[in-house]
Amino acid sequence: MMDVIVVGGGPTGLMLAAELRLHDVNVVVLEKRDEPSTESRGQGLHARSVEMMDQRGMLDRFLAVSEKFQVGGLFGGIMKPWPESLDTAHPYGLATPQPVTERLLDERARELGTEIRRGREVVGLSQDEDGVTVELADGTGLRARYVVGCDGGRSAVRKLIGVGFPGEPATVETLLGDMEVTADAATIAAAVAEVNKTQLRFGVTPGENGVCRVVVPADGVAENRAAPTLDEFRQQLRAFAGTDFGVHSPRWLSRFGDATRQAERYRVGRVFLAGDAAHIHPPTGGQGLNLGIQDAFNLGWKLAAAVDGRAPEGLLDTYQAERHPAGARVVENTRAQMMMLGTDAGATALRELFSRLMDFEEVNRYVTGMIAAVDVRYDLGEGHELLGLRMRDVQVKEGRLYELMRGGRGLLLDRTGRLSVEGWADRVDHVVDAAEELDVPAVLLRPDGHVAWVGEDQRELLGRLTQWFGAAEG
């Protein structure tokens, strides 16, 4: 019997597999597609995801194939300068096409020993006290101790375990695709600028090798959600811009709506949901791919502890407790953004008011921190203001904090030199360091970088170590 089956080989599933393999978990990824997708819905990584890649030693790979961007307040089509006081050592995003992100995460997962099986569609699932049995479309079956559904908005896993997916249906749709154009750059830029005066869901953005990213409102909401045709793009481009720019040779064509839904539960017994299987929302703010990666980063070390038999009671339930509110916040802010992207007078007035508010540094910082997810704070009870927040990268005598977290272990950063993690040294590293940027006696970090304890009392520390990392050895 395997330890974990991950259903879905997109960014969420691949990130989760890599996190599990850091702890030697036997994991297999089942992907329905025979080949990697060429669609590039997700256009990059926000600051918190950049931090995660740094924490796991993958950032250099992304920097080598990505462009940095600093668009402060990427909210509702409103662009403002990047806030100066955002709490991160990585105050930028990375423009990385989704196929590139998937390729890099696939390479990482395989390097760590992940088995990835393509052309494997899950059609059945049952679980008992000891494990989960997965039935595949080819009639074969697999069994594992745990299963995680990372198989998208139409998740088979979510349906098979009977989890509701309440929310709001789509009221508008947008066509999205990559294709070549014959119109010159000046003509395109002028037309887009004119259309954007009244319609922000419109764009023709030049890319590599003469291919443009085309975005245009659809003519209503399609009942079957089938992929649009090139003729539909031509029709809608002419309707809004008076020209179709000579679009031809499409690489891929798709549509997305403004539907927002969230799974009622992220866990049923030994089965979990992550990424779009747990939440869907419009792509406004570019948060979807990032939210899924962050789900995986939260779940991976917890699930590994359960497989190892060291997970303290209730640890797996903290995945739902922490990530469901994070997903709900994204669903909420994308709904608000879609309202601001409307074309009626009310939407225009709302967008203009919000734009003026974002000229205040505090508002800009709040909105940017929300979109970039660097302000996510898990409810870990009362305590120090750092409790539940992720720790930003700081300089330590051995280099940088994030360099110390590459193995996915817990970390006690101790300025007192009086504390100990004896009994947990196989799971938690102890670094004695008087880091000037750290103005507290000591912090205990979980493997995902969130602060689990702040203080200097050894007895309090022992309680937190037990709470998050299980019983001590011996």
Side-chain angles (χ1 to χ4, degrees), residues 203-223:
V204 182
T205 306
E208 295 182 354
N209 303 318
V211 177
C212 290
R213 167 62 53 87
V214 178
V215 182
V216 61
D219 183 17
V221 178
E223 294 184 3

Side-chain angles (χ1 to χ4, degrees), residues 301-313:
W301 67 276
K302 298 174 181 177
L303 200 52
V307 169
D308 194 41
R310 293 180 175 179
E313 183 178 359

Side-chain angles (χ1 to χ4, degrees), residues 134 199 253 263 284 305 323 333 335 430 434 452 457:
V134 169
Q199 176 55 260
L253 306 175
T284 43
R323 294 309 297 169
N333 83 53
R335 282 175 176 163
H430 183 195
D457 186 284

